[in-house]
Structure formats: structure tokens, C-alpha cells
Amino acid sequence: MISKLFSLLSQKDMAAVKKDIIGKLQEQILNLQGFKPERNAHGIDFGLGIISNAFPGNAFPLAALHEFLATNLEDAAASGGFISVLLSTLMKKGGLCLWISTQRKIFPPSLITFGLSPERIIFIDLQNERDVLWASEEALKCESLTAVVTELDEISFAQSRRLQLVTEKSRVTAFVIRKNAEKLSSTLAAARWRISAMPSGAIDGLPGLGFARWQVELLKVKNGIPGNWMIECAAGVFKPVKQAPFNDLKIRKAV
Amino acid sequence: MMQKRYMSIWFSTLLTDWIRIKRPVLKDLPLVFSDKAGNRMVITAASKEAASLGIHLGMPLADARAIVPDLEVIENQCHKSKKLLTALGRWCIRYTPLVALEEDQGLILDISGCAHLWGGEKAYLREIVNRLRGIGYQVRAAISDTMGTAWAVSRYGRVSPIIKSGEELNALLPLPPMALRISPIASQKLIKLGLKTIGSFISMPRSALRRRIGEDSMERIEQVLGQKEDFFLPITVPEVYSERLASMEPIRTRKGIEIAIEKLLFQLCTKLQSDGVGLRSALLQSYRIDGQVIKTQIGTNSPSINTSHLFKLFSLQIDKIEPKMGIELFTMDAVRFDRLDPGQESLWMTEKSMSNQKVIELLDRLAGKLGAQVIQRYLPQPHHWPERSIKKVDSITEPLSLPWRTDRLRPVQLLKVPEPVQVTAPIPDYPPMLFRYQGVTHQVKKADGPERIEREWWLEKGEHRDYYQLEDAEGKRYWLFRSGHYSSEKPSQWFIHGFFA
């Protein structure tokens, strides 16, 4: 039947139809893999610009596990800032967020710089990693939350799978900051990021610090294309920076 | 209308009796309570032993110490006596439903129609007085038609504590004017005039008396004699929510315990709901056959009557209930309960507000397993000092009272305690050129500052801080500060306090 249909169409049309079919099949595959595009996801614009093209369906994967690698406090700070901007967009319509960690150093008043209201975050300060995992899983089960941020030293494959499965069910977005990223294990996260600081550009040629500028490395993304970008954050909004000065970046190997 | 009868109970040495019941060691020692009055400590209560040595109320503590050097002093308990009286008043509810507090250490009971249950007023009075004396309180009591007469006889009476109806005036005649509880100035005036008993002036013409002792005192006299209504403000008894469930056969399985908890919760919550309150904390007591009682307590972050949620909280702790030979009785008490907000309005607004309840239940589960102290929420405080710029709040619904400051950049990661760093900085007020932190030297490329933050001298002493925002060659950003001014005597101290994103 289909072949008959194809024969009737011109070469050009056929290419379009093929593309359409492949697109639909891809969507089905994604669905089978537990990756359901959020119905409103296309409506939420994180201001990530060109980075959005790296995601499957060009939409930031919500209801999924995102892991951020951080080896030191500076990286953790950068990741915290990046996540805060994402959260501020996610929580524009209200909602609550849990921030679960041991030895928390996040300073709540700073988050307002990224457009995130600190009073809408509930911090859970725990003693050990086991409790952090338990609390994160419990929190991710609660559909009423918007997102859950977890700071961890390590997360194993099995643990990440548990979290990922829970997020798929409850549609809550999970952000995991791995503070001990030197010992990397593979995980089931939908995306693996590394956010690191970059020298800032001067604002209008004035001396002093410019807007926070980060190198955003998307090391892994399920069904997407990993990449490497530079982004700035001004007044709680992302501003992609032109890729021109990219040659001198040390390109890290994808892990 | 039935004749009212009142009973007045006087605790002559309430506070000292109380402390002696608590600490029997203090028995027979001169003992006083003292409190601040203005800028000196004065005696607010004294035991009989202390009083016999010449210590009286209102005396400065220093004077009392001079008289009795080894005086036992208990300080700052000024609210205790009212609390104690309220507790004793609640205890007295067993004798009559209407109990009121009286000023200066007394209780007044409306006993109309109660005494015959104890076999008459005499037996009734003896029962109460003996019970209270048995606990260790020195008490005197009197029964009369009016509150004022009962008060007077309990304090000053010498003959009989029970005044028959219509005998009030006769009972009052030999008592001093103070017994009328008129103002001290008025009673002093009467004594000065030689009118040392009530009998000597009570029959005087009202107009003459009024001129001397004032309108207030006249009104008081009329109340004592029952010619005018007196006020009676009964204390309220807190509602007790308690449920019990006995089992025919001892329970030894987890399933059995679960059923018991579910049943008890259902009964308790139905009761709470009808009164418009919700559970904040519940205590389950499981009485084992071997005489042991296992206590299990849960707490919630907001009043709740959701049985399935409360059951979940208990189920986290069921493992701790060891049935051993079996449990024969369960009791469940509402230890704490609060008014239930009908809609539970919240600040999380909009579409998600409907499901706020679920978040609260999640937090309860976390608190149940990990302790309530792990849950933190922060609101801004009007302080510049970074450590004091936020405060912890318990409730997740407390709204923002003042806005977050956006005019100053603050680091995402803040060290709990600033760590010292080695710094090369040109003086006087230039930012550092390089600094060494944890063995790594950072070349400073860009800098902002200084932002001087003064220490709040009324809260603590110490140096001010001059904060700089620094960016090193890699673009990493730090928050450093110099403690205090430069001085020629000692090198200035630099600290790292945070990391910017």
C-alpha cells in the first residue's frame, strides 16, 4: 500500500514523507524509552537559545534526571547558579522546590540574583548520603513539587535508575549535583552537564566584574547531540555568547 | 432561684510549698522567692520559717540576706504562681464544674448543688482541704453565700469555716477591715481611726462611710454582704483527646498493630474534626502483657486529620513496637493539636496550591524519619552582616515580610566559617593582586569592592569587614574580605568567605 503511494509521489515529496515517518517513529522510540515529551515543554522557554537544539525534539527534557559534575566548590557554585536560572523559569507559575544535601553551603539570598525566590525553596540538610538518596526519592514521588535538587558525592547506576524511574512517573524534574565527579560511574541520567566559570566580559567597557559567564558542556544527552557552549547570565536570564572565542577553550573529552 | 454557695481556698504559702514538693531537701529551711521590681530584687514569697525570722513580702532581697545569711533564694518565677493556681484550679474541677482564680493565691469554687454529693458541706470541705494538704500545700478554706465572705473567712476567720446562709454579717463582725478586701489605704485609715473590726463600722451610715473610704470600697462592702453581684470568671478546661482500644486476644502481628492504629486514628480524627482542630502530635502507647508500655510519637508540620497520612507516619515507626508476648491495650492521645485552617490558604498560589497538602505530607514523612530539624526554610532579616541576613522559619507558609535584597551580589556558596587566606594586596584600599587558598595561587584579573560591612556592635564585638569580589584568570569568582583596618602594628588578616557562580 505504502509503496504504491510512494510511486505516485514525486522524488521530492517522497523525501518529505520519509522524513515525517522517521520523525514519528523516532517519537515512538523515545516513548518506549521512557522519554515522554512534556505536553507544555515547548511552551517553556529557558532562554538557552542554540543549546535547545541539542535536546531531543528541541525541548529541554523535563521530568527527567539531569546530572551536573562538579569537582570543587567553584564548579558547585557555577552549577548552582545555572540550576537556579532553570528553576526560576520552571517556577514562574508558582510551586515549590526541595534542595537536598549534606553539608550545604548554598547561601539562599544569592539565588535572587538568578531570578529564583529563595523563600520558595525548602532545604533538607542531612547527615549522610543514604538519607539524601532516600529523601530525594521520596521527594521525587511527590507530584506537587516542581523540581528537586540533590547534592551528592556519588551516585551509582542502580541509584540513578531508581530516581529516573520515579521522575518518569511523577513528572518532577530532578537535578543532581555530583560533588565528587573525579570518580565517575555511568548513570541513567537524561543529561550530563558540566558548568564551569569563564572569564567575564566587561560591561560597556567598564572595569570590574562582568556578568557571570559559564562554559556549558553537555557531555551526554539521551537521544540528543552533546555540545559545548558559552553562556552568560544577566539579571536571571540566560544570554548565549557568540561562539567566536571558542578556539582557546580546552575541549574536554565526553565522559 | 437556688441559693448560691461559694468556697474559697487560700494557699498561704503556694510557691514555697510547690518547690518543697518538688525538692523535699528544702523542707524546714528558710526559703524565699524573689523577683525584679524596678532595678532591685524584692521578696515575692517567703516560707513560714523565713517569715518567723522577720522576712516579709516586698522586702529587698539584700536586706533579707543580711538577716538570714544562709537563705535559700529562688529567682524569677513571677509567672509561676498563676500557672500553678490554674493547674490546681483544673484539679478542682473534680469537685465542681465552676472554678475561678482569685488574686493573691486563692481559688474560688462555685459549689452550689455540689456539696451533697460528698455528704454535706462539712465533709466536702474536709475532703478538699485534706487532699490538698496531703499533696503538701498549706491551705485554708471557707464556704459562704458570697464570694467576699468566703474569702474573708478563709483568710481571717477564727471560728467556723462554714457560714450558714444569712449569717454572713455575723461572721464578718469580729474580722479586721482588711478582710473586706478594700484598698490597703482605706483599711489603714479605718484602723487609724480605731475601727479595728468590721463590726465597729459596718452599721455606720453609708454616706459617712463613703466620704472616708471612697466609692470603690463601698461597692466592695456591698458585694461582700451579697447586696451586689460579684464577678466570677471560671477557668476553662482544655479538651482532652484520647482514645483507647482493648483487644480480646493479645496482638502479636504487624498487621494487628496496623489495624489498631488505623482504628484509633479514625476515632481520634473524627472527634478532632468535629471540633475543627487538627493533629500536630500524637502519642501511641502499646501496653504489653509483660507490663511494658511502648510509646510511639509522631509529629506533623501542620494540623492534619488525614488518617491515611497519619497512618503512614506511624507505619514508619511500627518496627519499633515489639509485641513480644502480645499487646493487650492501645491508647492514642493527641499531644498537640491546632486549629484547622479551612482552606489552608497558601502563598504558593496558582495551579499548584491545590496540591500543597501533598508537600506538607511529604515533609511530615521526612521529619518522621529524619527529624524535624532537617527541614529548613529561610526568610530575609534586616541585617547587613551576611551570617545574620537570613533567619530560619519553621512554617512553610510564613510569607515574606520584607523583600530580598537584590542590590548587592552575594555568593552562591558561602562558607560557614570564613577561612584565612594569604593575600598580596597594595595598600590602602586596593583589591588583592593574588591570593593563595588551599595551596593554589589565584591571579586576580578583575575585582569589585570594597563593600564595607560593619559589625553590629549592639550584638557582638569585633572588627568590620571589607569585602571584595574577585575573578581569577580562569574566571572563577571569590568573595574575600579584610578584617579591620590596616595598622602598622600587625599585618591585616584576609579571609575567603564564599564562591560566586
Side-chain angles (χ1 to χ4, degrees):
Chain A
M1 176 75 185
I2 290 178
S3 62
K4 215 181 195 176
L5 197 76
F6 281 169
S7 64
L8 288 173
L9 297 165
S10 71
Q11 202 75 19
K12 211 175 172 187
D13 287 338
M14 248 183 60
V17 170
K18 260 187 188 168
K19 207 178 168 191
D20 190 44
I21 292 171
I22 289 170
K24 271 185 185 151
L25 286 174
Q26 253 171 355
E27 210 166 284
Q28 274 179 26
I29 293 171
L30 290 185
N31 244 323
L32 290 173
Q33 286 179 337
F35 184 85
K36 301 184 192 80
E38 197 72 15
R39 207 163 288 159
N40 312 327
H42 296 278
I44 299 182
D45 181 17
F46 287 93
L48 284 166
I50 190 168
I51 302 181
S52 307
N53 297 339
F55 305 124
N58 292 347
F60 184 86
L62 297 171
L65 186 67
H66 292 260
E67 56 173 341
F68 290 79
L69 307 184
T71 34
N72 47 35
L73 279 168
E74 291 94 326
D75 284 353
S79 303
F82 186 78
I83 292 172
S84 301
V85 183
L86 294 178
L87 282 177
S88 73
T89 316
L90 269 176
M91 288 166 68
K92 255 193 195 117
K93 287 194 190 148
L96 268 172
C97 159
L98 249 59
W99 197 299
I100 304 166
S101 57
T102 58
Q103 297 160 6
R104 179 177 54 83
K105 294 200 180 64
I106 289 283
F107 188 49
S110 69
L111 303 180
I112 196 79
T113 333
F114 304 103
L116 182 60
S117 310
E119 82 276 3
R120 301 225 321 246
I121 302 176
I122 295 168
F123 293 95
I124 310 287
D125 294 349
L126 300 170
Q127 293 299 323
N128 59 55
E129 298 266 302
R130 249 186 57 217
D131 289 345
V132 171
L133 278 166
W134 180 81
S136 305
E137 201 181 317
E138 285 294 309
L140 285 171
K141 279 181 198 160
C142 177
E143 303 105 17
S144 315
L145 291 173
T146 308
V148 176
V149 185
T150 307
E151 284 184 51
L152 272 174
D153 270 348
E154 293 196 46
I155 183 165
S156 71
F157 183 78
Q159 286 158 349
S160 75
R161 184 166 54 192
R162 284 186 76 120
L163 295 186
Q164 170 68 25
L165 287 175
V166 176
T167 54
E168 276 170 24
K169 210 169 155 208
S170 66
R171 317 304 291 164
V172 179
T173 312
F175 298 98
V176 175
I177 303 176
R178 299 175 67 176
K179 289 187 287 190
N180 192 358
E182 271 133 11
K183 278 195 250 160
L184 262 189
S185 54
S186 62
T187 60
L188 212 80
R192 173 178 287 179
W193 305 78
R194 191 201 302 271
I195 314 293
S196 36
M198 294 276 294
S200 62
I203 307 171
D204 303 334
L206 292 169
L209 273 65
F211 294 124
R213 188 178 281 191
W214 301 311
Q215 185 189 355
V216 177
E217 292 167 89
L218 189 53
L219 302 170
K220 253 186 189 177
V221 52
K222 220 194 255 171
N223 304 309
I225 313 137
N228 202 329
W229 305 269
M230 197 147 75
I231 211 168
E232 233 175 35
C233 169
V237 180
F238 285 131
K239 242 175 34 187
V241 180
K242 288 261 162 59
Q243 300 281 335
F246 232 49
N247 315 337
D248 55 319
L249 273 185
K250 32 182 188 14
I251 305 290
R252 292 195 186 94
K253 228 173 76 190
V255 261
Chain B
M1 193 187 125
M2 197 180 135
Q3 182 55 55
K4 289 253 181 205
R5 294 291 278 170
Y6 292 98
M7 175 163 159
S8 172
I9 307 174
W10 181 40
F11 299 83
S12 51
T13 47
L14 178 70
L15 281 172
T16 52
D17 286 345
W18 163 72
I19 199 85
R20 280 173 176 172
I21 294 166
K22 243 176 61 169
R23 289 159 57 189
V25 200
L26 297 173
K27 219 171 160 91
D28 303 325
L29 289 178
L31 176 70
V32 294
F33 278 71
S34 80
D35 257 300
K36 250 198 160 119
N39 54 1
R40 55 182 195 165
M41 298 294 282
V42 297
I43 309 286
T44 50
S47 70
K48 223 192 283 165
E49 293 76 14
S52 67
L53 290 168
I55 294 169
H56 57 84
L57 304 192
M59 183 188 237
L61 180 61
D63 294 1
R65 278 231 166 93
I67 299 170
V68 188
D70 55 350
L71 192 65
E72 285 286 336
V73 182
I74 290 145
E75 287 178 6
N76 301 323
Q77 296 281 352
C78 52
H79 303 296
K80 192 75 214 172
S81 96
K82 190 163 181 203
K83 247 165 114 184
L84 261 177
L85 267 184
T86 313
L88 285 164
R90 285 185 182 149
W91 180 84
C92 285
I93 296 282
R94 67 190 63 193
Y95 296 108
T96 166
L98 296 170
V99 180
L101 301 190
E102 256 181 354
E103 47 201 283
D104 46 272
Q105 310 188 344
L107 292 173
I108 186 102
L109 280 57
D110 184 344
I111 63 162
S112 321
C114 294
H116 74 275
L117 297 168
W118 273 266
E121 287 179 347
K122 206 169 176 184
Y124 183 77
L125 186 129
R126 198 186 303 132
E127 153 81 11
I128 296 179
V129 168
N130 284 346
R131 284 288 285 273
L132 285 168
R133 283 190 183 147
I135 299 171
Y137 288 106
Q138 292 300 316
V139 294
R140 282 169 59 92
I143 296 177
S144 144
D145 267 10
T146 67
M147 287 185 243
T149 311
W151 189 92
V153 175
S154 68
R155 265 73 169 178
Y156 297 96
R158 292 266 173 274
V159 193
S160 162
I162 296 169
I163 313 299
K164 290 201 182 71
S165 273
E167 298 281 306
E168 287 83 36
L169 191 57
N170 284 341
L172 288 172
L173 291 179
L175 305 185
M178 283 84 85
L180 289 172
R181 215 174 355 153
I182 52 180
S183 72
I185 299 168
S187 54
Q188 284 303 318
K189 202 181 258 173
L190 287 168
I191 288 174
K192 228 182 220 169
L193 292 170
L195 306 170
K196 287 185 181 154
T197 60
I198 294 174
S200 57
F201 63 83
I202 200 76
S203 48
M204 283 183 185
R206 289 286 150 96
S207 55
L209 213 50
R210 181 175 288 120
R211 232 179 302 132
R212 300 229 157 43
I213 61 174
E215 183 59 46
D216 291 349
S217 304
M218 283 314 293
E219 195 183 331
R220 182 77 215 133
I221 289 172
E222 281 168 9
Q223 282 175 347
V224 171
L225 295 176
Q227 294 156 349
K228 212 166 187 187
E229 195 67 25
D230 209 345
F231 306 108
F232 188 86
L233 189 72
I235 55 172
T236 52
V237 192
E239 196 68 56
V240 178
Y241 296 100
S242 180
E243 292 293 333
R244 44 191 287 141
L245 184 74
S247 48
M248 305 286 280
E249 298 258 322
I251 284 171
R252 290 162 67 180
T253 59
R254 188 188 171 98
K255 190 76 205 155
I257 297 173
E258 282 175 2
I259 292 171
I261 293 173
E262 265 173 349
K263 267 194 177 168
L264 284 169
L265 273 174
F266 177 73
Q267 290 168 4
L268 197 64
C269 287
T270 321
K271 225 179 187 183
L272 289 167
Q273 191 176 19
S274 62
D275 289 355
V277 288
L279 205 63
R280 285 300 305 273
S281 173
L283 175 72
L284 174 77
Q285 301 193 65
S286 315
Y287 292 79
R288 266 193 344 220
I289 284 187
D290 58 10
Q292 292 280 341
V293 182
I294 305 162
K295 293 182 180 172
T296 321
Q297 190 157 6
I298 57 151
T300 65
N301 280 294
S302 76
S304 168
I305 46 164
N306 181 346
T307 43
S308 69
H309 168 55
L310 294 168
F311 176 73
K312 248 183 239 158
L313 298 181
F314 269 117
S315 68
L316 289 171
Q317 298 197 45
I318 284 186
D319 296 336
K320 289 185 206 153
I321 306 172
E322 245 185 277
K324 287 248 172 89
M325 296 295 290
I327 299 167
E328 50 183 354
L329 174 70
F330 295 92
T331 65
M332 192 179 287
D333 302 281
V335 181
R336 241 184 99 196
F337 46 87
D338 277 341
R339 191 134 294 283
L340 204 57
D341 291 339
Q344 301 219 328
E345 289 295 323
S346 66
L347 77 155
W348 319 121
M349 317 150 281
T350 65
E351 53 192 43
K352 292 252 176 183
S353 70
M354 289 297 287
S355 37
N356 219 356
Q357 196 54 38
K358 282 194 180 156
V359 178
I360 288 171
E361 288 175 10
L362 164 73
L363 294 179
D364 287 347
R365 269 206 305 286
L366 295 181
K369 172 143 175 167
L370 307 164
Q373 78 287 351
V374 305
I375 299 170
Q376 320 268 9
R377 191 173 159 250
Y378 297 92
L379 289 181
Q381 270 200 123
H383 290 281
H384 287 285
W385 199 250
E387 286 89 337
R388 267 196 290 276
S389 62
I390 47 172
K391 63 171 180 202
K392 282 182 195 169
V393 286
D394 297 335
S395 109
I396 71 157
T397 45
E398 190 175 327
L400 211 57
S401 53
L402 69 165
W404 293 96
R405 287 182 64 121
T406 51
D407 52 341
R408 300 272 182 219
L409 202 59
R410 290 287 175 259
V412 172
Q413 304 266 342
L414 187 83
L415 296 171
K416 286 245 154 61
V417 183
E419 291 172 25
V421 283
Q422 288 165 303
V423 162
T424 309
I427 45 176
D429 262 338
Y430 293 96
M433 296 188 299
L434 55 91
F435 68 95
R436 230 176 128 72
Y437 173 58
Q438 290 187 342
V440 182
T441 309
H442 299 269
Q443 292 282 344
V444 177
K445 291 289 174 197
K446 299 194 177 89
D448 269 339
E451 178 194 349
R452 173 163 297 183
I453 303 184
E454 290 283 352
R455 213 178 269 267
E456 289 147 314
W457 51 263
W458 58 96
L459 294 173
E460 61 178 357
K461 279 190 187 129
E463 307 266 29
H464 65 257
R465 295 170 175 177
D466 284 330
Y467 279 97
Y468 291 89
Q469 301 164 17
L470 307 177
E471 184 178 305
D472 73 358
E474 285 177 61
K476 292 172 175 166
R477 299 167 165 213
Y478 304 89
W479 210 33
L480 266 69
F481 70 84
R482 190 187 61 235
S483 185
H485 292 285
Y486 278 109
S487 80
S488 46
E489 286 107 56
K490 59 179 174 76
S492 57
Q493 273 284 320
W494 284 81
F495 295 88
I496 183 164
H497 201 180
F499 304 85
F500 291 98

